């Protein structure tokens, strides 16, 4: 059962009509389904039964505390990419020993804070970072757990902006340099080689690139094993795609079955860093039509959500289904669905056939991942409210920003 369905012609989130949410908190507004979040997580858990594992939710996909809290309660760890995310994960009840720290640009302060808090490991992305972590750990009298993020140079066949595992991308350590760096780390008194990992891109809709990457990673692990450098874990990253339109991503179970088959007979704990696959289809963006502007060659539906709320269409030319909250008998017309922001690139959808009137509500679907978390205040627009639906209850999990808060940190020059 989908978390978002029509009942008597009205789109609901679980048991709550979306119109009720709009009346209560206004628009634009993100709406998440607790059931959808939990069932995605449980699908991963079910497929991994019998294998020692840890699901480290890639929280950059959606970092609302209520979302993090749900996953933490289910036993998840977190994949973080900044000191801010570390603080956020801890504030949501995330346990440090379940946190992995990814990202190519970890600062001295971020490394020190993460090491002091006792995270599971640093996912190291370069030789220079490895040296920095070693130096900081030595100064703190600690041994830093590290896992090299290897760039396996496989083509994930996804959008170039979200491909990360090709040798021309900035991410990870080149495959050919990984062994030498592992040996170097293993010989250091301030570093502990915990594992090896990869993350090859996002919105992948085939199993083959994951399988190729894991095969390449395991070849490195086997070599290290023969040298007496035994790894505790392998980390297969995130990247599993979801259905936005007509994509046919592999089922979570099929993707993981292919991973588990390769790990058979090997002792490693399996770490995963799914983001989009856990949250993407568990959210929507609720928006209201401010104006209809019929014309040629385009008719426009101008809505109160914009690229600052949801930038994926503008950034990646991404498709999101856009559904009317209430069906109307009126004849349909094709619309450009655009926001109020002063950019031609401000659109949520092109050429959508809708039977709608001014004031109607629209739901921009599959907006649980890389949506609110990528939002901005461009055009001095307060960020949208966020609501989590749980059965028949809708909880505000982030209040709409006030306009005053947008410039509260700013100061004018002294007079004169
Ligand atoms: C973004 C990211 C993820 C999650 O990617 P999804 O495509 O959302 O699953 C996992 N690991 C790392 C290192 C990332 O940067």
């Amino acid at each position: 059962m989908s978390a978002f369905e029509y009942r008597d012609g009205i789109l609901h989130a679980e048991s709550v009509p979306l119109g009720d949410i709009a009346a209560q908190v206004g628009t634009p507004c993100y709406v998440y389904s607790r059931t959808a979040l939990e069932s995605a997580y449980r699908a991963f858990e079910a497929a991994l039964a019998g294998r020692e594992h840890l699901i480290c939710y890639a929280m950059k996909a959606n970092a609302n505390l209520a979302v993090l809290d749900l996953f933490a309660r289910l036993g998840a760890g977190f994949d973080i990419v900044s000191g801010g995310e570390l603080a956020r994960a801890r504030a949501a009840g995330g346990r440090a020993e379940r946190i992995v720290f990814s990202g190519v640009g970890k600062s001295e302060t971020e490394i020190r804070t993460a090491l002091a808090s006792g995270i599971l490991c640093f996912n190291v992305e370069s030789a220079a970072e490895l040296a920095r972590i070693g130096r900081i750990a030595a100064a703190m009298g600690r041994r830093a757990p590290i896992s090299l993020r290897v760039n396996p140079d496989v083509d994930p066949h996804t959008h170039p902006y979200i491909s990360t595992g090709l040798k021309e991308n900035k991410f990870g350590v080149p495959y050919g340099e990984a062994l030498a760096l592992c040996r170097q780390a293993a010989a250091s008194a301030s570093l502990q080689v915990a594992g090896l990992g990869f993350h090859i891109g996002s919105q992948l809709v085939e199993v083959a690139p994951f399988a190729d990457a894991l095969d390449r990673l395991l070849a490195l692990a086997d070599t290290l094993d023969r040298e007496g450098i035994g790894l505790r874990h392998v980390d297969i990253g995130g990247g599993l795609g979801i259905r936005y339109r007509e994509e046919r991503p592999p089922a979570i179970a099929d993707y993981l079955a292919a991973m588990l088959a390769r790990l058979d007979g090997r002792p490693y704990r399996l770490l995963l860093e799914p983001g989009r696959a856990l949250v993407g289809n568990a959210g929507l963006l609720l928006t209201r039509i401010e104006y209809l502007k019929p014309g040629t060659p385009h008719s426009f539906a101008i809505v109160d959500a914009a690229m600052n709320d949801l930038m994926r269409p503008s950034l990646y030319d991404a498709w999101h289904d856009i559904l009317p909250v209430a069906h109307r008998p009126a004849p349909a017309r094709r619309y450009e669905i655009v926001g109020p922001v002063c950019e031609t690139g401000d659109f949520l959808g092109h050429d959508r056939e809708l039977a709608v009137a001014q004031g109607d509500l629209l739901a921009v679907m599959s907006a649980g991942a890389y949506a609110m978390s990528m939002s901005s205040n461009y055009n001095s627009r307060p960020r949208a409210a966020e609501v989590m639906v749980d059965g028949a209850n809708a909880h505000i999990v982030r209040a709409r920003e006030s306009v005053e808060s947008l410039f509260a940190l700013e100061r004018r020059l002294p007079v004169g």
Side-chain angles (χ1 to χ4, degrees):
M1 190 208 81
S2 162
F4 304 113
E5 284 184 338
Y6 286 97
R7 296 189 191 176
D8 301 324
I10 303 289
L11 191 58
H12 284 59
E14 301 194 19
S15 308
V16 181
L18 289 176
D20 289 6
I21 295 176
Q24 196 194 331
V25 304
T27 53
C29 161
Y30 278 99
V31 181
Y32 309 126
S33 157
R34 175 180 184 170
T35 304
L37 292 166
E38 292 188 337
S39 59
Y41 186 86
R42 292 208 167 95
F44 273 86
E45 282 286 321
L48 294 166
R51 176 100 213 172
E52 194 196 351
H53 68 272
L54 180 64
I55 300 170
C56 294
Y57 167 54
M59 61 183 282
K60 72 177 190 288
N62 184 329
N64 183 285
L65 290 192
V67 174
L68 303 185
D69 172 59
L70 281 187
F71 289 142
R73 281 197 250 168
L74 292 170
F78 297 101
D79 172 37
I80 64 167
V81 292
S82 72
E85 287 196 346
L86 175 60
R88 208 173 243 286
R90 301 302 302 276
R95 287 160 55 174
E97 69 272 19
R98 293 185 185 164
I99 290 176
V100 299
F101 193 169
S102 302
V104 295
K106 304 175 190 77
S107 72
E108 298 245 359
T109 306
E110 287 175 326
I111 291 168
R112 218 174 289 119
T113 309
L115 191 54
S117 68
I119 63 165
L120 175 59
C121 74
F122 292 91
N123 289 346
V124 174
E125 306 227 14
S126 67
E129 183 194 332
L130 189 68
R132 179 180 274 185
I133 293 172
R135 191 164 37 70
I136 293 170
M140 291 171 67
R142 302 281 289 253
R143 209 156 183 220
I146 61 103
S147 170
L148 279 197
R149 174 173 174 183
V150 178
N151 184 328
D153 193 25
V154 298
D155 187 348
H157 303 135
T158 187
H159 191 287
Y161 285 9
I162 47 179
S163 151
T164 58
L166 283 166
K167 62 178 182 295
E168 58 265 37
N169 300 135
K170 71 178 176 182
F171 298 99
V173 172
Y175 189 80
E177 295 169 26
L179 282 178
L181 277 179
C182 278
R183 291 176 188 127
Q184 188 188 315
S188 160
S190 56
L191 297 172
Q192 162 77 45
V193 181
L196 277 182
F198 60 79
H199 171 69
I200 53 176
S202 203
Q203 186 53 19
L204 274 67
V205 292
E206 299 164 26
V207 172
F210 292 111
D212 293 348
L214 183 53
D215 286 340
R216 287 177 65 84
L217 196 81
L218 290 173
L220 295 178
D222 290 346
T223 304
L224 291 171
D225 197 45
R226 284 193 295 273
E227 297 178 13
I229 304 174
L231 306 176
R232 270 184 276 152
H233 75 247
V234 296
D235 183 340
I236 59 171
L240 182 64
I242 62 168
R243 182 166 184 167
Y244 286 98
R245 190 179 187 184
E246 276 152 357
E247 304 91 336
R248 298 249 171 233
I252 289 168
D254 295 338
Y255 150 69
L256 290 176
M259 301 291 102
L260 292 180
R262 287 170 164 76
L263 289 167
D264 220 22
R266 289 184 166 94
Y268 312 119
R269 182 189 199 193
L270 176 61
L271 263 56
L272 307 88
E273 304 169 355
R276 190 189 313 269
L278 287 177
V279 296
N281 277 328
L284 58 78
L285 174 60
L286 188 58
T287 183
R288 196 179 288 282
I289 298 175
E290 296 277 15
Y291 302 100
L292 292 177
K293 192 172 170 182
T296 43
H298 298 302
S299 292
F300 295 94
I302 301 164
V303 299
D304 63 5
M307 65 186 289
N308 74 293
D309 301 299
L310 178 64
M311 79 183 294
R312 298 188 69 261
S314 302
L315 184 62
Y316 309 126
D317 206 17
W319 174 281
H320 288 262
D321 281 340
I322 299 177
L323 305 177
V325 167
H327 283 306
R328 277 184 180 277
R333 185 194 283 271
R334 307 193 79 85
Y335 291 102
E336 296 292 302
I337 314 293
V338 300
V341 161
C342 302
E343 298 279 346
T344 302
D346 177 28
F347 71 95
L348 299 175
H350 289 306
D351 200 27
R352 302 302 177 90
E353 189 167 321
L354 290 167
V356 287
Q358 182 171 340
D360 281 4
L361 291 168
L362 297 178
V364 184
M365 306 306 290
S366 306
Y370 305 105
M372 180 64 177
S373 65
M374 293 177 101
S375 65
S376 79
N377 294 118
Y378 188 41
N379 279 208
S380 285
R381 290 169 51 84
R383 256 175 268 246
E386 291 175 288
V387 169
M388 175 97 66
V389 171
D390 181 9
N393 299 311
H395 303 273
I396 297 176
V397 293
R398 192 178 203 264
R400 185 177 309 285
E401 281 179 347
S402 71
V403 167
E404 296 70 32
S405 74
L406 301 186
F407 45 83
L409 300 177
E410 299 169 29
R411 297 290 178 268
R412 287 179 284 181
L413 290 180
V415 180

